[in-house]
Amino acid sequence: MTDEPPGGFLTLGDLEAAGAAKSARDVWEFVQGGAGAETTLRGNRDAFYRQTLRPRVLTGVDRIDLRTTILGTPVAAPFFVAPTAYQGLLCADGELATARAAGAAGLLAVYSTLSTRSLEEVAAAAPDGLRWFQLYLQPEAGVARRLVERAERAGYRALVLTVDMPLLANRDRQLRSGLAVDTPAPIGNGADVHSPPRALTADGGRFLLRVDTAATWEVVDRLREWTRLPIVVKGVLTGEDARRAVDHGASAVIVSNHGGRQLDGAPATLDVLPEVVEAVGRDAEVYLDGGVRRGSDVLMALALGARAVGIGRPVLWALAAGGEAGVARLLSLLEVDVATVMALTGRTTVPAIDRALLGAPRW
Amino acid sequence: MTDEPPGGFLTLGDLEAAGAAKSARDVWEFVQGGAGAETTLRGNRDAFYRQTLRPRVLTGVDRIDLRTTILGTPVAAPFFVAPTAYQGLLCADGELATARAAGAAGLLAVYSTLSTRSLEEVAAAAPDGLRWFQLYLQPEAGVARRLVERAERAGYRALVLTVDMPLLANRDRQLRSGLAVDTPAPIGNGADVHSPPRALTADGGRFLLRVDTAATWEVVDRLREWTRLPIVVKGVLTGEDARRAVDHGASAVIVSNHGGRQLDGAPATLDVLPEVVEAVGRDAEVYLDGGVRRGSDVLMALALGARAVGIGRPVLWALAAGGEAGVARLLSLLEVDVATVMALTGRTTVPAIDRALLGAPRW
Amino acid sequence: MTDEPPGGFLTLGDLEAAGAAKSARDVWEFVQGGAGAETTLRGNRDAFYRQTLRPRVLTGVDRIDLRTTILGTPVAAPFFVAPTAYQGLLCADGELATARAAGAAGLLAVYSTLSTRSLEEVAAAAPDGLRWFQLYLQPEAGVARRLVERAERAGYRALVLTVDMPLLANRDRQLRSGLAVDTPAPIGNGADVHSPPRALTADGGRFLLRVDTAATWEVVDRLREWTRLPIVVKGVLTGEDARRAVDHGASAVIVSNHGGRQLDGAPATLDVLPEVVEAVGRDAEVYLDGGVRRGSDVLMALALGARAVGIGRPVLWALAAGGEAGVARLLSLLEVDVATVMALTGRTTVPAIDRALLGAPRW
Amino acid sequence: MTDEPPGGFLTLGDLEAAGAAKSARDVWEFVQGGAGAETTLRGNRDAFYRQTLRPRVLTGVDRIDLRTTILGTPVAAPFFVAPTAYQGLLCADGELATARAAGAAGLLAVYSTLSTRSLEEVAAAAPDGLRWFQLYLQPEAGVARRLVERAERAGYRALVLTVDMPLLANRDRQLRSGLAVDTPAPIGNGADVHSPPRALTADGGRFLLRVDTAATWEVVDRLREWTRLPIVVKGVLTGEDARRAVDHGASAVIVSNHGGRQLDGAPATLDVLPEVVEAVGRDAEVYLDGGVRRGSDVLMALALGARAVGIGRPVLWALAAGGEAGVARLLSLLEVDVATVMALTGRTTVPAIDRALLGAPRW
């Protein structure tokens, strides 16, 4: 691990720099890029910069407890590994390295339909780890159903249905990088599993365009027929859709704009989180991903009502920087950072992170 | 087409870069520059960055229909080729290339009084294409009238009267580029046709200045005597003027600041669009141009009440990058981008693009 | 004039670039610099960028009349040469060049107490030009009184009392440039005339500091005893002080922060103009200086209630770039720019520039 | 002092540049850096840029009196030397140089628990200087108590209890610099004195983290049993905590975010000052530190209700640039700057600096 700086990886910035140094350029552009002009990609970070934290002092912070539950299952900290595709592009072990590190840390990890390793291999790599399976709908319903059944059998504890990717968005940076856009690496879950379609195809008239998926909210009902696993709807940015997800039986929603990789022009996730939290009320859990890089980001999202937050690109940085050890280091750095910010804001438990923690926005 | 990147033009940015590489510097400054400090030029883009889109998910987006009508005529998509002058500076075929590409795409194109090719040549290049004629008033009314009559005869379906150019503004970048300011290329519509005047001339006292055109709203009435073509008033930025245009019989108005090339200090077109839409009500159609570069921009304008949007500079980029094929590629990229954003926001038809699509602005 | 670009000076930017090229570095830092962190210097420009203009079209702009009156005297345009010190640093003729150019243009020019040429020489250079005398209070009242009496005799038509300079501010850039701060060039109005003091001096206790001037509003009363010339109070940024100036008999006030050269942290002049205009009502004229560089700036200030605006640094750029011819070119460029913006906004006379011209600010 | 520019140190910028040139890189990163992404570090400065000052003119500013009292003791100006650790890293004399310069200037100086010189040496260096002792709580209460007793004996006039550092925050820049993080230089106050802990350590379960200090508001009560010195609580950013400090007997609070070195995400001190001032009312004095670099900053904080402001990093710049002479120069430059801004805003005494001095914020 020659790119590790003296003293080891001390910050997420160290992991990012080492990951960039070790990765092929086209892979790195795939990891870092977003859709269109990357307005939404930047917006996710800006939303965290905009918020301020009102620290309370002398509250007695000798014991900081990061533990919480997610859908009732205890986890070590209020953040989890968000699903990201093709982790094998970053290091040979791919999702197996992630699974071992997350499992050892006692953290939830979510694995993509588009993993380079099969969902059974991932389960075997960390049998005791808490894992969820992220599902992309498939052109053939049978393929999707078999994925769901395999995940349930392999001990995945929830299904995360991604709803913001009826087709692959225009990702200018990735297009220019030269990496194959549709399937840049083999999909470990089987040859019949597909990535969401990239291209719109003409059908009939020139301007009548067609995508392969016709998914509506009924797919959630169908999923509930296929499995007794709780269903989490990922990629919701409005109160209306969050409410609808709950009404169709979702146990949780993830406020996500796919890390700025799908709809460029979508709002920052932190900015719409309150609307979703209010719409959902106590009927489901709400998570958030997109731009979470610091302990202070985690606290801001929790203060606005998220139960936990997902970490996406930094896991890929860590995989590239150091494989399983890199991810372990990342998760440990984040835990310490969350605990530090809790101590500095005078919160010793996760439930104590309330809206009063937030001050006036900077602008 | 040696400047085409491997894999072809994948984004508008590719077309812009190739266009810059192939164009003489003074021509490129003419294309890209704006008036004064280019505050308005930048402002047009900033207004799109400021808006956010609220995507709805699982609405069933297997068929995306971009078709709409403009003044009752069906078009393939809710955008059109905005009028730009002197297209022959960018490629030898000039407006003929544009006409062929737009015609093949089933899109409306508007041609400038200051085309390098005659309006009859343009019509012959794409006889079935939907075309409108943009009119600059002329020092001699007879010259303008003959242009109108020729356009009607040549199958142009509407007259677009530009009202924001009683004289040519101070375009600092163009002035410094060395390109002839008044008439940088021959005007194809005849030797008696003139560009709007550049210079103010002293008349009597030193500080009593004179421009050649004394146009008032009566010119719209006069146009209606000359022709039965519908009249579109281009260059309106206030509700008052939009209303006045309609009261003088205009069938539509174009919210435009001439791409930031005329009044530096004018507001972004997207910012004033709602005021114009409200003033006009159902009495006329409202279009917008200025800074439209992405499918998301198109949807934002439509969500705020525009029926269609005009594309200006990108057509010039595409002409320089690849002539007719470049423009065809541009129009296709834009169509796919609009359709993609429609799919990602859960809108399958143009009428479904409503104000609920817009979220809280970023700042 | 080898630094003149081909085609001559086409924009104020050309004059600035040529002025920089021809000037010694320390002089140029003196011209361009402001106080402290130059927050106020930048703020003056930002305030103009923030405003937008609502252009009205088809109003008939064949004759644009820039003429107005200032304190009842006709001038060719609603802008004037603001007082700036030590013009001889920029070109050998100094204020004489300015006087000739402004006189020929029919514009008001204000000359500083700290001119490098005597006020009588300046008057002789353009006997028919409209000129005002800017007064800095002097340690000895007799010196100030003699300046006032000389100005009245030499045909100056108003006294401009600067009130924002009880002492010279900390101008970091100038301090570092090496130019003598107190009196960088000889003062043409006599060896007994002084610049405002630079240094605070200890007096008694260490922290009891002393400046040489104890001026209060009574100085305005005293001035009115010395002369029958109208008095203009320059350097007012609040409604309260503007009102007070009028109550002490001032005929006009100039909203000015000394071009960002005195109190860093002072607001942009355009931002406080409405407050001053409202406080003064119809009892006096209000002018503005600070950052005016474009015709659109002039219209924005007039729309907010200024009767005219002062041009400061650009005159120094023009002097350095081309002496009298440079200043003549500057004034002509500005006139054409004002007339152009009037035409583009549909205003043909100065009184027609009203508040309805302003749209929603950009931020 | 070869890095002194010709003419000496004319601005704080000169001192900063010379300090940087003379310091080892790791030390300089320690001085300049902040926590995390340095959002709060930048925010402190931005808050001053955002405010504007409304200058009043012709108020008679011949005598400017900077003197005020702090907890009843007269001082030469309304600013003081804020406590900063390890001044011996910047120059050999360390805190002794600071003490001599501050004492000679008649200004309050606060010395850190983590001084490189002992508190008795510091007292001896400037016996007549007004000095306060900053206290970090210690793992063993006896150690803290002995520090308090020594400080009282050595003539320190108040105890400043820092409450925003239960542990050392993640300071990315410092971590990367290579400087020892916990104790980069020997602590002069004794081998049993400790810096706040850096690392969180696991205790029991993996995610149950532990810090060494369990301080609650009772520590203020305990301090009051140990000493009769007035107690100042430093590091408060909310009205609630400020009120609580006063209710526990604090004589004053310092609104501070530790110069952006602790909780990244904390608001700018100037932004929360009004909330603290309102909560405290007349029951205690309120000071502020964080980003104060200019006389205008001092006036802005005083206008918002601070009685005085602390100067942190610039003292370190000055120590590195010129030792005692450097600090003396710094304090003198600041005094002159405060006096200048008072003159330019028409305020001749500290009590005259009221809220009416502040205009509309820039954004």
Side-chain angles (χ1 to χ4, degrees), chain C residues 36 39 170 172 176 200 203 207-211 215-217 238 240-241 262 265-267 275, chain D residues 11 49 52-54 56-58 60-64 66 76 105 294 335-337 339-340 362:
Chain C
T39 309
N170 289 316
D172 290 13
R176 280 193 283 263
L200 296 159
D203 173 17
F207 310 108
L208 189 62
L209 301 167
R210 193 176 201 292
V211 291
T216 63
W217 284 101
T238 63
E240 297 95 308
D241 279 345
Q262 283 292 101
E275 167 186 337
Chain D
T11 68
Y49 288 132
T52 61
L53 295 170
R54 299 178 84 241
R56 301 299 302 272
V57 297
L58 294 180
V61 291
D62 54 330
R63 300 174 77 85
I64 305 289
L66 271 69
R294 305 247 172 210
E335 277 177 7
V336 172
D337 199 13
T340 299
R362 292 190 196 279

Short mmCIF file of all heavy atoms in Angstrom, two decimals, chain C residues 36 39 170 172 176 200 203 207-211 215-217 238 240-241 262 265-267 275, chain D residues 11 49 52-54 56-58 60-64 66 76 105 294 335-337 339-340 362:
data_model
loop_
_atom_site.label_atom_id
_atom_site.label_comp_id
_atom_site.label_asym_id
_atom_site.label_seq_id
_atom_site.Cartn_x
_atom_site.Cartn_y
_atom_site.Cartn_z
N GLY C 36 -8.24 49.21 3.49
CA GLY C 36 -8.37 47.93 4.17
C GLY C 36 -8.37 46.74 3.23
O GLY C 36 -7.49 46.59 2.37
N THR C 39 -13.14 45.69 0.69
CA THR C 39 -14.50 45.16 0.69
C THR C 39 -15.47 46.18 0.09
O THR C 39 -16.34 45.84 -0.72
CB THR C 39 -14.93 44.85 2.13
OG1 THR C 39 -13.93 44.06 2.76
CG2 THR C 39 -16.25 44.11 2.15
N ASN C 170 -6.55 53.77 6.40
CA ASN C 170 -5.49 52.79 6.14
C ASN C 170 -5.72 52.17 4.78
O ASN C 170 -6.64 51.41 4.57
CB ASN C 170 -5.52 51.70 7.21
CG ASN C 170 -5.04 52.23 8.55
OD1 ASN C 170 -4.05 52.94 8.61
ND2 ASN C 170 -5.77 51.89 9.60
N ASP C 172 -4.13 49.77 2.57
CA ASP C 172 -3.06 48.78 2.61
C ASP C 172 -2.27 48.72 1.31
O ASP C 172 -1.05 48.67 1.31
CB ASP C 172 -3.65 47.38 2.87
CG ASP C 172 -4.19 47.24 4.28
OD1 ASP C 172 -4.34 48.27 4.97
OD2 ASP C 172 -4.45 46.10 4.69
N ARG C 176 1.77 49.62 0.81
CA ARG C 176 2.77 48.67 0.34
C ARG C 176 3.44 49.11 -0.96
O ARG C 176 4.50 48.61 -1.31
CB ARG C 176 2.11 47.30 0.10
CG ARG C 176 1.92 46.52 1.38
CD ARG C 176 1.56 45.08 1.09
NE ARG C 176 0.17 44.94 0.69
CZ ARG C 176 -0.83 44.59 1.50
NH1 ARG C 176 -0.59 44.34 2.77
NH2 ARG C 176 -2.05 44.49 1.07
N LEU C 200 -2.80 59.30 13.23
CA LEU C 200 -3.32 59.69 14.53
C LEU C 200 -2.12 59.85 15.46
O LEU C 200 -1.21 59.04 15.44
CB LEU C 200 -4.22 58.57 15.06
CG LEU C 200 -5.47 58.31 14.24
CD1 LEU C 200 -6.00 56.93 14.51
CD2 LEU C 200 -6.50 59.36 14.58
N ASP C 203 -1.81 61.92 22.38
CA ASP C 203 -1.91 63.23 23.04
C ASP C 203 -2.31 62.95 24.48
O ASP C 203 -3.44 62.50 24.74
CB ASP C 203 -2.98 64.07 22.34
CG ASP C 203 -3.24 65.37 23.10
OD1 ASP C 203 -2.41 65.76 23.95
OD2 ASP C 203 -4.29 65.98 22.83
N PHE C 207 -3.63 56.23 24.78
CA PHE C 207 -4.76 55.79 23.96
C PHE C 207 -5.74 56.91 23.68
O PHE C 207 -6.83 56.70 23.22
CB PHE C 207 -5.47 54.62 24.61
CG PHE C 207 -4.48 53.59 24.99
CD1 PHE C 207 -4.15 53.37 26.31
CD2 PHE C 207 -3.81 52.89 24.01
CE1 PHE C 207 -3.20 52.43 26.65
CE2 PHE C 207 -2.86 51.94 24.35
CZ PHE C 207 -2.55 51.71 25.68
N LEU C 208 -5.28 58.11 24.02
CA LEU C 208 -6.08 59.27 23.66
C LEU C 208 -5.49 59.81 22.37
O LEU C 208 -4.40 60.36 22.36
CB LEU C 208 -5.97 60.30 24.80
CG LEU C 208 -6.89 61.49 24.71
CD1 LEU C 208 -8.35 61.08 24.74
CD2 LEU C 208 -6.56 62.44 25.84
N LEU C 209 -6.17 59.62 21.31
CA LEU C 209 -5.60 59.94 20.01
C LEU C 209 -6.21 61.22 19.47
O LEU C 209 -7.30 61.62 19.85
CB LEU C 209 -5.85 58.77 19.05
CG LEU C 209 -5.23 57.45 19.54
CD1 LEU C 209 -5.76 56.26 18.76
CD2 LEU C 209 -3.73 57.53 19.46
N ARG C 210 -5.52 61.83 18.55
CA ARG C 210 -5.91 63.17 18.14
C ARG C 210 -5.80 63.31 16.64
O ARG C 210 -4.83 62.89 16.05
CB ARG C 210 -4.96 64.17 18.82
CG ARG C 210 -5.45 65.59 18.70
CD ARG C 210 -4.55 66.54 19.44
NE ARG C 210 -5.27 67.76 19.75
CZ ARG C 210 -5.67 68.64 18.83
NH1 ARG C 210 -5.43 68.41 17.57
NH2 ARG C 210 -6.35 69.71 19.19
N VAL C 211 -6.81 63.90 16.06
CA VAL C 211 -6.70 64.28 14.66
C VAL C 211 -6.77 65.79 14.58
O VAL C 211 -7.17 66.45 15.53
CB VAL C 211 -7.81 63.65 13.79
CG1 VAL C 211 -7.62 62.14 13.68
CG2 VAL C 211 -9.16 63.99 14.35
N ALA C 215 -14.02 69.18 12.80
CA ALA C 215 -15.15 69.71 12.05
C ALA C 215 -16.48 69.11 12.52
O ALA C 215 -16.61 67.91 12.70
CB ALA C 215 -14.96 69.43 10.57
N THR C 216 -17.44 69.98 12.68
CA THR C 216 -18.82 69.57 12.94
C THR C 216 -19.70 70.26 11.90
O THR C 216 -19.20 70.96 11.00
CB THR C 216 -19.26 69.97 14.35
OG1 THR C 216 -19.22 71.41 14.41
CG2 THR C 216 -18.34 69.37 15.41
N TRP C 217 -20.99 70.07 12.02
CA TRP C 217 -21.88 70.64 11.01
C TRP C 217 -21.81 72.16 10.94
O TRP C 217 -22.22 72.76 9.94
CB TRP C 217 -23.32 70.18 11.27
CG TRP C 217 -23.50 68.76 10.84
CD1 TRP C 217 -23.52 67.65 11.63
CD2 TRP C 217 -23.64 68.28 9.49
NE1 TRP C 217 -23.67 66.51 10.87
CE2 TRP C 217 -23.76 66.87 9.55
CE3 TRP C 217 -23.69 68.91 8.24
CZ2 TRP C 217 -23.91 66.08 8.42
CZ3 TRP C 217 -23.85 68.12 7.11
CH2 TRP C 217 -23.96 66.73 7.21
N THR C 238 -25.86 58.15 4.88
CA THR C 238 -27.07 57.86 5.65
C THR C 238 -28.11 58.93 5.38
O THR C 238 -27.78 60.09 5.06
CB THR C 238 -26.79 57.86 7.18
OG1 THR C 238 -26.38 59.18 7.58
CG2 THR C 238 -25.72 56.85 7.55
N GLU C 240 -29.90 60.25 7.68
CA GLU C 240 -29.81 61.25 8.75
C GLU C 240 -28.82 62.36 8.39
O GLU C 240 -29.12 63.55 8.57
CB GLU C 240 -29.36 60.60 10.06
CG GLU C 240 -30.31 59.56 10.62
CD GLU C 240 -29.92 58.15 10.20
OE1 GLU C 240 -29.75 57.93 8.98
OE2 GLU C 240 -29.82 57.28 11.08
N ASP C 241 -27.64 61.97 7.91
CA ASP C 241 -26.65 62.98 7.58
C ASP C 241 -27.06 63.79 6.36
O ASP C 241 -26.77 64.99 6.29
CB ASP C 241 -25.28 62.32 7.36
CG ASP C 241 -24.56 62.03 8.67
OD1 ASP C 241 -24.98 62.57 9.72
OD2 ASP C 241 -23.58 61.27 8.66
N GLN C 262 -11.83 55.17 1.85
CA GLN C 262 -11.81 55.65 3.22
C GLN C 262 -12.29 54.57 4.21
O GLN C 262 -11.48 53.81 4.69
CB GLN C 262 -12.64 56.93 3.34
CG GLN C 262 -11.91 58.15 2.79
CD GLN C 262 -10.71 58.49 3.67
OE1 GLN C 262 -9.56 58.18 3.37
NE2 GLN C 262 -10.97 59.10 4.81
N GLY C 265 -15.74 48.80 4.80
CA GLY C 265 -16.87 48.33 5.59
C GLY C 265 -18.09 49.21 5.32
O GLY C 265 -19.20 48.84 5.69
N ALA C 266 -17.88 50.34 4.70
CA ALA C 266 -19.01 51.20 4.33
C ALA C 266 -19.83 50.49 3.25
O ALA C 266 -19.30 49.71 2.47
CB ALA C 266 -18.51 52.54 3.81
N PRO C 267 -21.13 50.74 3.21
CA PRO C 267 -21.99 50.09 2.23
C PRO C 267 -21.71 50.61 0.82
O PRO C 267 -21.09 51.65 0.64
CB PRO C 267 -23.41 50.47 2.68
CG PRO C 267 -23.23 51.72 3.45
CD PRO C 267 -21.88 51.63 4.10
N GLU C 275 -32.23 55.42 0.54
CA GLU C 275 -32.41 56.01 1.87
C GLU C 275 -32.11 57.51 1.86
O GLU C 275 -32.83 58.30 2.48
CB GLU C 275 -31.48 55.26 2.84
CG GLU C 275 -31.30 55.93 4.18
CD GLU C 275 -30.25 55.23 5.06
OE1 GLU C 275 -29.96 54.03 4.85
OE2 GLU C 275 -29.70 55.90 5.96
N THR D 11 1.04 46.69 7.89
CA THR D 11 -0.30 46.11 8.00
C THR D 11 -0.18 44.74 8.68
O THR D 11 0.90 44.17 8.77
CB THR D 11 -0.94 45.89 6.61
OG1 THR D 11 -0.20 44.86 5.94
CG2 THR D 11 -0.92 47.15 5.79
N TYR D 49 -17.22 40.43 6.75
CA TYR D 49 -17.40 41.00 5.41
C TYR D 49 -18.86 41.30 5.12
O TYR D 49 -19.19 42.20 4.36
CB TYR D 49 -16.88 40.03 4.34
CG TYR D 49 -15.38 39.90 4.30
CD1 TYR D 49 -14.76 38.66 4.26
CD2 TYR D 49 -14.57 41.02 4.28
CE1 TYR D 49 -13.38 38.54 4.21
CE2 TYR D 49 -13.19 40.91 4.24
CZ TYR D 49 -12.60 39.67 4.21
OH TYR D 49 -11.24 39.56 4.16
N THR D 52 -22.14 45.86 7.25
CA THR D 52 -21.72 47.18 6.78
C THR D 52 -21.83 48.19 7.92
O THR D 52 -22.62 48.01 8.84
CB THR D 52 -22.59 47.68 5.61
OG1 THR D 52 -23.95 47.78 6.04
CG2 THR D 52 -22.50 46.73 4.42
N LEU D 53 -21.03 49.22 7.81
CA LEU D 53 -21.00 50.28 8.83
C LEU D 53 -21.64 51.54 8.26
O LEU D 53 -21.33 51.93 7.13
CB LEU D 53 -19.55 50.58 9.23
CG LEU D 53 -18.80 49.45 9.92
CD1 LEU D 53 -17.31 49.79 10.04
CD2 LEU D 53 -19.39 49.20 11.30
N ARG D 54 -22.48 52.16 9.04
CA ARG D 54 -23.11 53.42 8.62
C ARG D 54 -22.35 54.59 9.24
O ARG D 54 -22.58 54.96 10.39
CB ARG D 54 -24.57 53.49 9.10
CG ARG D 54 -25.45 52.38 8.55
CD ARG D 54 -26.85 52.49 9.14
NE ARG D 54 -27.67 53.43 8.42
CZ ARG D 54 -28.22 54.53 8.94
NH1 ARG D 54 -27.99 54.85 10.20
NH2 ARG D 54 -28.96 55.31 8.23
N ARG D 56 -21.31 58.20 10.35
CA ARG D 56 -21.86 59.55 10.55
C ARG D 56 -20.73 60.55 10.41
O ARG D 56 -19.61 60.30 10.87
CB ARG D 56 -22.53 59.66 11.93
CG ARG D 56 -23.65 58.66 12.14
CD ARG D 56 -24.78 58.85 11.15
NE ARG D 56 -25.35 60.16 11.18
CZ ARG D 56 -26.37 60.52 11.98
NH1 ARG D 56 -26.91 59.62 12.79
NH2 ARG D 56 -26.84 61.74 11.96
N VAL D 57 -21.03 61.66 9.79
CA VAL D 57 -19.97 62.62 9.46
C VAL D 57 -20.12 63.91 10.26
O VAL D 57 -21.17 64.18 10.85
CB VAL D 57 -19.98 62.94 7.95
CG1 VAL D 57 -19.67 61.69 7.15
CG2 VAL D 57 -21.30 63.56 7.53
N LEU D 58 -19.04 64.67 10.28
CA LEU D 58 -19.02 66.00 10.91
C LEU D 58 -19.49 65.95 12.37
O LEU D 58 -20.23 66.82 12.83
CB LEU D 58 -19.87 66.99 10.11
CG LEU D 58 -19.32 67.32 8.70
CD1 LEU D 58 -20.24 68.29 7.99
CD2 LEU D 58 -17.91 67.88 8.77
N GLY D 60 -17.23 65.88 14.82
CA GLY D 60 -16.16 66.40 15.66
C GLY D 60 -15.31 65.28 16.23
O GLY D 60 -15.58 64.77 17.31
N VAL D 61 -14.32 64.88 15.48
CA VAL D 61 -13.57 63.68 15.88
C VAL D 61 -12.12 64.01 16.22
O VAL D 61 -11.22 63.23 15.94
CB VAL D 61 -13.64 62.61 14.78
CG1 VAL D 61 -15.05 62.05 14.67
CG2 VAL D 61 -13.18 63.17 13.44
N ASP D 62 -11.90 65.18 16.84
CA ASP D 62 -10.51 65.55 17.11
C ASP D 62 -9.88 64.73 18.23
O ASP D 62 -8.68 64.64 18.31
CB ASP D 62 -10.40 67.04 17.40
CG ASP D 62 -11.33 67.47 18.50
OD1 ASP D 62 -12.41 66.85 18.64
OD2 ASP D 62 -11.00 68.40 19.23
N ARG D 63 -10.67 64.18 19.08
CA ARG D 63 -10.13 63.35 20.15
C ARG D 63 -10.87 62.02 20.17
O ARG D 63 -12.07 61.98 20.39
CB ARG D 63 -10.29 64.06 21.50
CG ARG D 63 -9.57 65.40 21.55
CD ARG D 63 -9.85 66.14 22.85
NE ARG D 63 -9.09 65.61 23.96
CZ ARG D 63 -7.85 65.95 24.26
NH1 ARG D 63 -7.22 66.85 23.52
NH2 ARG D 63 -7.25 65.42 25.29
N ILE D 64 -10.12 60.99 19.92
CA ILE D 64 -10.69 59.64 19.88
C ILE D 64 -10.20 58.89 21.11
O ILE D 64 -8.99 58.73 21.30
CB ILE D 64 -10.24 58.89 18.61
CG1 ILE D 64 -10.57 59.69 17.35
CG2 ILE D 64 -10.85 57.49 18.56
CD1 ILE D 64 -12.02 59.75 17.02
N LEU D 66 -10.05 55.47 23.00
CA LEU D 66 -10.26 54.02 22.88
C LEU D 66 -10.44 53.34 24.22
O LEU D 66 -10.71 52.13 24.27
CB LEU D 66 -9.07 53.36 22.18
CG LEU D 66 -9.10 53.28 20.67
CD1 LEU D 66 -8.94 54.66 20.08
CD2 LEU D 66 -7.98 52.37 20.17
N ALA D 76 -6.50 50.00 27.69
CA ALA D 76 -6.23 51.04 26.71
C ALA D 76 -7.14 50.96 25.49
O ALA D 76 -7.30 51.95 24.77
CB ALA D 76 -4.77 50.95 26.27
N ALA D 105 1.49 48.03 26.38
CA ALA D 105 0.38 48.67 25.65
C ALA D 105 -0.83 48.93 26.55
O ALA D 105 -1.80 49.55 26.10
CB ALA D 105 -0.04 47.78 24.48
N ARG D 294 -9.31 43.58 11.87
CA ARG D 294 -9.35 44.98 11.45
C ARG D 294 -10.07 45.81 12.50
O ARG D 294 -10.93 45.30 13.23
CB ARG D 294 -10.13 45.12 10.13
CG ARG D 294 -9.64 44.27 9.01
CD ARG D 294 -9.07 45.11 7.90
NE ARG D 294 -8.44 44.29 6.89
CZ ARG D 294 -7.41 44.70 6.16
NH1 ARG D 294 -6.92 45.92 6.32
NH2 ARG D 294 -6.86 43.92 5.27
N GLU D 335 -4.60 49.41 17.33
CA GLU D 335 -5.14 50.59 18.00
C GLU D 335 -5.39 51.71 17.01
O GLU D 335 -6.44 52.36 17.03
CB GLU D 335 -4.14 51.09 19.07
CG GLU D 335 -4.25 50.37 20.38
CD GLU D 335 -3.20 50.85 21.35
OE1 GLU D 335 -2.48 51.84 21.04
OE2 GLU D 335 -3.09 50.24 22.43
N VAL D 336 -4.40 51.96 16.16
CA VAL D 336 -4.56 53.04 15.19
C VAL D 336 -5.73 52.72 14.25
O VAL D 336 -6.51 53.61 13.89
CB VAL D 336 -3.25 53.25 14.40
CG1 VAL D 336 -3.47 54.22 13.25
CG2 VAL D 336 -2.17 53.77 15.33
N ASP D 337 -5.86 51.47 13.89
CA ASP D 337 -6.95 51.10 12.98
C ASP D 337 -8.31 51.29 13.65
O ASP D 337 -9.25 51.83 13.04
CB ASP D 337 -6.76 49.65 12.51
CG ASP D 337 -7.54 49.32 11.24
OD1 ASP D 337 -8.03 50.25 10.58
OD2 ASP D 337 -7.66 48.13 10.91
N ALA D 339 -8.96 53.36 16.07
CA ALA D 339 -9.17 54.80 16.21
C ALA D 339 -9.56 55.42 14.87
O ALA D 339 -10.43 56.29 14.78
CB ALA D 339 -7.91 55.46 16.76
N THR D 340 -8.92 54.95 13.81
CA THR D 340 -9.24 55.47 12.48
C THR D 340 -10.69 55.18 12.11
O THR D 340 -11.41 56.07 11.63
CB THR D 340 -8.29 54.84 11.43
OG1 THR D 340 -6.94 55.18 11.77
CG2 THR D 340 -8.61 55.33 10.03
N ARG D 362 -24.59 42.87 3.59
CA ARG D 362 -24.39 42.83 2.14
C ARG D 362 -25.18 41.72 1.48
O ARG D 362 -25.48 41.78 0.31
CB ARG D 362 -22.90 42.60 1.83
CG ARG D 362 -22.04 43.78 2.19
CD ARG D 362 -20.63 43.63 1.67
NE ARG D 362 -19.75 44.56 2.36
CZ ARG D 362 -19.64 45.86 2.05
NH1 ARG D 362 -20.34 46.35 1.06
NH2 ARG D 362 -18.86 46.65 2.74
#
